[in-house]
Amino acid sequence: MLPPKIAAIFTTIALLGISIHGLPAFAADTPRPPDPCDKELSVSDVDGILTGKATINHYSMSEGQQGEGCELGVAGNGVAFVDISIRRGDMQSFKNLLLLVPPSRKSLAGIGDEAYGTPTTDSNVPDAKETDLYARKGNLQCLVELHRSNGSGEKLVIPVGDDTIAAKLGGLCNKLFAARAGL
């Protein structure tokens, strides 16, 4: 797994449609397990979150294992993308995950069994901001981040304010929770 800052740079490059010859993670013929963007999510799921025509990147900075996540993003004068992953994990592993979340997190109702949103902060993507959501339903954990480049990337995001963004991101988690119910 790549360090987060390097992975973020590759993610941004991939969203911009720039190919990097020789890196197997981005090779078209490299087999990969299916991820949420193969079956459960589509570019239309970010219509109320991002402006413009979104593209899919079959990689997620939040995934613990390949295939747990993907990204849906747009690029224009800036970049904005939703990085999402869903994985199995019991209540204790979710509590452990929350130890990494800033104490300024806010409990949110209506998203899984429990969910927490974070205030917008500097992103691990260079020259960008992010708003994060951590949610759990049963033994499923959903991590979703909205990254956008500073300045013009903000114009690619539709919802305004951390609470509104968290609610929109929570809708993506709820869709994944419903699709994976009983698995």
Side-chain angles (χ1 to χ4, degrees):
M1 184 172 244
L2 295 172
K5 288 214 183 259
I6 300 299
I9 292 168
F10 284 162
T11 299
T12 302
I13 289 169
L15 281 172
L16 294 173
I18 301 169
S19 65
I20 302 173
H21 182 67
L23 291 179
F26 294 98
D29 58 351
T30 301
R32 62 170 181 77
D35 62 50
C37 290
D38 286 317
K39 291 185 180 179
E40 297 127 336
L41 298 176
S42 71
V43 294
S44 64
D45 289 310
V46 293
D47 283 349
I49 301 170
L50 304 174
T51 63
K53 182 170 173 44
T55 59
I56 295 173
N57 180 16
H58 294 283
Y59 164 81
S60 167
M61 293 182 289
S62 301
E63 65 188 2
Q65 296 180 27
Q66 191 178 30
E68 288 179 344
C70 57
E71 293 177 343
L72 302 141
V74 295
N77 290 330
V79 174
F81 62 95
V82 173
D83 182 279
I84 189 163
S85 71
I86 187 161
R87 64 184 74 150
R88 293 208 164 281
D90 61 17
M91 189 174 297
Q92 185 58 51
S93 68
F94 187 70
K95 287 180 182 179
N96 293 343
L97 175 66
L98 291 178
L99 292 174
L100 303 173
V101 180
S104 56
R105 67 181 179 250
K106 184 177 182 180
S107 179
L108 303 166
I111 303 167
D113 294 333
E114 64 180 308
Y116 301 91
T118 66
T120 297
T121 186
D122 288 338
S123 173
N124 57 346
V125 174
D127 198 31
K129 294 177 184 162
E130 72 180 89
T131 310
D132 303 339
L133 177 85
Y134 300 82
R136 179 190 67 80
K137 182 167 178 92
N139 284 329
L140 291 174
Q141 299 173 10
C142 180
L143 289 70
V144 60
E145 305 168 348
L146 173 60
H147 297 267
R148 60 265 193 206
S149 55
N150 293 330
S152 55
E154 291 283 342
K155 296 175 187 171
L156 299 172
V157 176
I158 296 170
V160 177
D162 292 341
D163 291 342
T164 307
I165 290 171
K168 292 285 190 178
L169 299 179
L172 297 174
C173 287
N174 280 339
K175 182 172 183 176
L176 289 175
F177 291 148
R180 295 188 180 207
L183 294 181

